[in-house]
């Protein structure tokens, strides 16, 4: 399972890369805005690509087809690892087909149903991003969407990768891994939570105590 970091913060990206855990990065307009990056979006993406050395999703702001193509083409020029992130709309799917024909990878974002993911896969998306946390937030079961997608993609041998997004806790990752999801994009805080177990801390404390009592 590949780990992407869901962040536009360079310090966080550098830290996760230093653990050797970073396979790629996903950003979205909210994450970029959090870093005050609206004006220097391309510079931020360029810097992220330098650190990440793997796929980096950069999302278009346009909602019309022509605007998506223009923005996507500009973003794709930034670095060979840039993945164009397009929303799950009619224009987004049309633009996905356009970029797929040009062999430019697309991540279709804001996926909330199996039927939406099917459309994105058929249009040639490199990744689909089902948002599990936001589904859980409205009392829907995010993980059952991942289970459905895994089954359907396997049935037809789609090469589109399932990129589990909107992850809120370690259980989301473990469940995604059990279902064979290709990628999980994790907020920094959730990656940090993955390290922890109280028995590990107690174990280290005991080993050191025993060692020093010798
Ligand atoms: C993924 O690409 C999205 O940017 C992200 O996972 C959304 O997460 P949220 O629902 O916590 O905002």
């Amino acid at each position: 399972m590949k780990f992407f970091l869901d962040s536009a913060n360079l310090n966080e990206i550098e830290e996760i890369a230093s653990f050797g855990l970073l396979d790629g990065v996903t950003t979205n307009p909210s994450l970029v805005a959090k870093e005050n990056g609206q004006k220097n979006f391309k510079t931020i993406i360029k810097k992220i690509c330098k650190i990440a050395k793997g796929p980096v999703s950069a999302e278009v702001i346009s909602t019309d087809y022509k605007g998506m193509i223009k923005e996507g083409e500009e973003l794709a020029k930034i670095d060979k690892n840039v993945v164009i992130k397009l929303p799950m709309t009619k224009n987004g799917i049309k633009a996905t087909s356009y970029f797929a024909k040009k062999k430019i990878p697309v991540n279709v974002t804001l996926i909330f149903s199996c039927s939406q993911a099917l459309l994105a896969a058929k249009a040639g998306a490199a990744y689909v991003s089902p948002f599990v946390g936001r589904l859980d937030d409205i009392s829907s079961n995010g993980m059952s969407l991942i289970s459905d997608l895994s089954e359907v993609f396997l049935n037809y041998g789609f090469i589109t990768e399932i990129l589990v997004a909107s992850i809120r806790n370690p259980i989301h990752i473990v469940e995604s891994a059990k279902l064979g999801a290709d990628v999980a994009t994790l907020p920094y805080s959730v990656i940090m939570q993955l390290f922890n177990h109280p028995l590990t801390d107690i174990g280290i404390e005991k080993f050191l105590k025993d060692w020093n009592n010798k």
Side-chain angles (χ1 to χ4, degrees):
M1 177 184 235
K2 284 174 269 188
F3 275 15
F4 288 1
L5 185 67
D6 201 22
S7 174
N9 181 289
L10 298 178
N11 293 331
E12 288 181 359
I13 297 167
E14 257 165 11
E15 188 179 340
I16 301 303
S18 76
F19 288 117
L21 293 172
L22 191 72
D23 297 309
V25 172
T26 52
T27 65
N28 65 34
S30 308
L31 293 171
V32 173
K34 226 164 98 182
E35 306 303 319
N36 293 317
Q38 294 99 321
K39 286 207 176 100
N40 52 355
F41 179 37
K42 287 182 194 161
T43 314
I44 288 191
I45 295 296
K46 200 174 198 162
K47 285 183 181 166
I48 295 176
C49 288
K50 267 203 168 159
I51 307 167
K53 299 184 175 64
V56 174
S57 290
E59 187 161 343
V60 303
I61 303 300
S62 301
T63 52
D64 63 302
Y65 175 70
K66 273 193 185 161
M68 285 178 176
I69 300 299
K70 188 170 175 282
E71 259 188 78
E73 279 180 337
E74 280 167 15
L75 291 172
K77 278 186 208 144
I78 297 174
D79 191 280
K80 65 173 173 36
N81 283 331
V82 167
V83 175
I84 313 299
K85 207 172 183 193
L86 296 169
M88 176 56 232
T89 59
K90 291 189 181 95
N91 287 331
I93 290 300
K94 210 165 151 186
T96 299
S97 300
Y98 171 89
F99 286 117
K101 276 181 201 120
K102 294 187 119 191
K103 307 246 176 293
I104 295 173
V106 170
N107 173 0
V108 178
T109 189
L110 292 166
I111 299 263
F112 293 97
S113 73
C114 200
S115 51
Q116 289 180 321
L118 255 176
L119 293 175
K122 280 187 67 67
Y127 304 94
V128 286
S129 288
F131 278 38
V132 294
R134 292 193 196 185
L135 278 169
D136 289 354
D137 289 345
I138 58 154
S139 301
S140 225
N141 188 339
M143 292 321 302
S144 69
L145 175 58
I146 305 305
S147 167
D148 289 349
L149 293 189
S150 308
E151 187 184 334
V152 169
F153 280 23
L154 194 68
N155 282 349
Y156 296 100
F158 284 126
I159 53 161
T160 305
E161 295 190 36
I162 299 171
L163 191 169
V164 184
S166 187
I167 283 181
R168 301 275 160 82
N169 55 57
I171 302 293
H172 278 150
I173 299 151
V174 174
E175 291 300 319
S176 300
K178 279 159 79 177
L179 291 165
D182 304 283
V183 191
T185 190
L186 313 160
Y188 174 87
S189 58
V190 178
I191 296 198
M192 288 303 145
Q193 284 178 300
L194 297 182
F195 282 94
N196 301 334
H197 199 291
L199 289 179
T200 306
D201 300 337
I202 291 166
I204 291 171
E205 203 181 314
K206 186 171 185 322
F207 285 153
L208 291 178
K209 202 174 153 212
D210 292 346
W211 180 263
N212 290 321
N213 282 344
K214 247 188 169 183

